[in-house]
Amino acid sequence: MSICFKIACQGATSITTFADILCNTLKSAIRYAVCDKTALDIANKMKTDYPAFNGNRQKLDLFMLSGLLEKEDFETYQQYIYNPEYYMQDFIRRTVDSYCLDKKNPKLKQILNLNLEAFQDLVFSALHESTKVVKDKHGNVASWLDEFCTRLGDDLYLPRSDLKSIEHQEIKDIQFLKEAVSDSLSRALGQLKQTFSEINMEQFVSKPHEILFEQLCGCLKQCPFCKAVCTNTIPRHDGNHSTDFHRPQALSGIKWEGTNHLVTDICSSLVASDYVIVLDGKKFECKNYRELGHEYKNWDIKRDTSQLPYWQWFVSHFRSNLEKTYDGKFEGKGAIPEDWKNLEKNKILLKTQN
């Protein structure tokens, strides 16, 4: 049923109907604004209070690696290695949920109510000021709506054009109009407060964990060999992908030519060698990796032997899991170095940070 038809059915001069229609529109606008601001407030609060979120993607990655190290579960590691985007989203979501939805200390409800009160003050102030101005000018409903929408400003999105259907009413008692709108608005705000008493974020268009992910994710393209993630902070950046540290290629199941021996070398040391790799039955020198196709030529793998003790510990610790997963062995050229076996779990993250 259209707004015009509704008004026609209930009487063209009905102030009560005008107020109810306006306040229904306001109710939707306030709900959206409160949820949107609450999502931003939570994201900003967590960036301040949570060390994992108050830096760049590299810092967040260290916290995720720390959590993985503590859990020490191979399948969870596989999620992190093979689907870093999903793992990061899930890590952030779980952290946000823990912060917001604690039943003993429901921060989400508190922030929602604070923002609802702020928008309530804004609307009632606009209602009071617009009525005062229009009464002084002996204006009509259209001029009252002009003043009202203007005073809401950019803080509350209420398009003036959406209210054209109700601006031609023969309402002369602007004071009575204000009182009717005020009463209807109070009921609408009460309904909103009841809605916000349910502690969830389903009604949010933009959710806090999505905001944090967008701000922190950077580029998530993975090295086609070892699955290390590009370290560029811009999601759709120009130029080639690169990473500070590549990982042992055994993490993605790569084996030495003609054997079932898993490769413990890293990509950046292999491209500095004369070793040969075999993909899809074709042999290529590692240094000519760009010839392998599109996903390879977009990577800039610099010659470097530096690698993180973290992944050395991982290969040594989850040796049997990796051998079973990829039907391979850490033997021959893929034998695990002795010093990898002596890495202490409680020190490897500190070495990774340094």
Side-chain angles (χ1 to χ4, degrees):
M1 183 183 295
S2 70
I3 290 179
C4 290
F5 182 73
K6 244 178 151 178
I7 293 175
C9 289
Q10 297 181 37
T13 59
S14 173
I15 290 180
T16 302
T17 300
F18 174 95
D20 287 345
I21 292 171
L22 174 62
C23 288
N24 279 334
T25 306
L26 270 172
K27 179 181 174 183
S28 297
I30 294 170
R31 179 172 58 242
Y32 175 84
V34 169
C35 291
D36 198 45
K37 187 173 187 308
T38 297
L40 283 170
D41 287 348
I42 290 170
N44 290 333
K45 179 72 172 170
M46 295 195 73
K47 286 183 73 174
T48 300
D49 295 348
Y50 280 68
F53 303 137
N54 66 16
N56 55 18
R57 211 274 305 285
Q58 187 176 17
K59 186 173 183 181
L60 171 59
D61 209 43
L62 286 172
F63 278 85
M64 292 192 293
L65 289 173
S66 177
L68 286 163
L69 193 64
E70 185 177 345
K71 191 173 183 180
E72 209 171 304
D73 177 72
F74 181 73
E75 293 305 319
T76 308
Y77 267 107
Q78 289 293 83
Q79 292 176 10
Y80 172 85
I81 292 168
Y82 277 94
N83 198 338
E85 180 174 352
Y86 169 80
Y87 189 87
M88 185 185 296
Q89 287 177 327
D90 189 60
F91 176 86
I92 296 173
R93 180 191 56 77
R94 285 185 283 110
T95 308
V96 170
D97 284 352
S98 176
Y99 175 79
C100 292
L101 305 181
D102 183 353
K103 292 183 178 179
K104 294 180 180 178
N105 185 19
K107 295 183 181 68
L108 175 61
K109 183 178 178 180
Q110 296 168 9
I111 298 172
L112 280 168
N113 285 333
L114 282 173
N115 284 331
L116 179 59
E117 289 175 9
F119 281 106
Q120 173 180 297
D121 291 343
L122 170 69
V123 174
F124 275 113
S125 175
L127 182 62
H128 174 76
E129 293 299 324
S130 57
T131 301
K132 183 176 183 298
V133 169
V134 173
K135 282 175 67 177
D136 290 344
K137 293 181 178 179
H138 305 288
N140 57 13
V141 172
S143 60
W144 184 88
L145 284 170
D146 288 340
E147 286 288 340
F148 183 66
C149 291
T150 298
R151 290 175 187 281
L152 293 178
D154 297 328
D155 296 311
L156 186 62
Y157 182 64
L158 188 69
R160 176 67 178 85
S161 57
D162 289 356
L163 304 173
K164 284 191 174 297
S165 297
I166 58 173
E167 69 178 12
H168 302 296
Q169 304 311 306
E170 292 298 325
I171 299 173
K172 297 181 180 180
D173 191 339
I174 297 299
Q175 182 61 35
F176 184 34
L177 172 66
K178 173 199 170 184
E179 292 170 2
V181 171
S182 180
D183 290 343
S184 184
L185 183 60
S186 294
R187 291 193 296 272
L189 290 167
Q191 292 166 0
L192 280 178
K193 191 166 186 177
Q194 182 60 38
T195 300
F196 293 151
S197 66
E198 299 177 13
I199 306 174
N200 66 69
M201 287 181 280
E202 292 303 315
Q203 57 198 311
F204 285 29
V205 175
S206 181
K207 296 176 174 57
H209 69 269
E210 294 171 344
I211 295 171
L212 287 168
F213 176 77
E214 287 298 318
Q215 292 175 349
L216 295 169
C217 69
C219 177
L220 288 169
K221 292 291 183 181
Q222 294 182 267
C223 171
F225 296 111
C226 70
K227 303 304 178 187
V229 178
C230 176
T231 49
N232 197 300
T233 57
I234 302 172
R236 288 166 290 279
H237 62 88
D238 295 328
N240 293 320
H241 302 293
S242 64
T243 187
D244 293 337
F245 295 98
H246 285 269
R247 305 166 183 172
Q249 291 189 352
L251 267 67
S252 57
I254 295 178
K255 301 168 187 173
W256 287 109
E257 177 196 0
T259 75
N260 71 337
H261 300 166
L262 294 162
V263 178
T264 54
D265 292 62
I266 58 174
C267 313
S268 49
S269 63
L270 287 170
V271 298
S273 72
D274 293 323
Y275 284 128
V276 172
I277 54 176
V278 180
L279 285 175
D280 299 326
K282 296 180 181 180
K283 294 183 180 181
F284 294 86
E285 287 189 352
C286 294
K287 67 181 70 172
N288 298 325
Y289 69 92
R290 289 179 183 270
E291 297 176 8
L292 292 170
H294 178 72
E295 65 175 322
Y296 299 89
K297 72 179 182 181
N298 289 334
W299 270 84
D300 179 19
I301 303 176
K302 291 180 170 61
R303 299 181 177 196
D304 187 7
T305 58
S306 304
Q307 58 178 308
L308 297 176
Y310 190 101
W311 295 112
Q312 296 173 341
W313 171 87
F314 173 83
V315 168
S316 177
H317 186 78
F318 289 105
R319 171 178 183 157
S320 60
N321 300 85
L322 291 165
E323 290 180 332
K324 182 179 179 180
T325 299
Y326 300 116
D327 191 23
K329 293 291 182 180
F330 286 104
E331 297 175 358
K333 282 195 293 186
I336 296 174
E338 285 301 315
D339 58 337
W340 290 21
K341 301 173 184 177
N342 298 323
L343 290 168
E344 297 180 43
K345 174 182 170 180
N346 63 339
K347 293 182 180 180
I348 59 170
L349 196 64
L350 183 61
K351 293 180 180 179
T352 298
Q353 291 173 297
N354 295 334

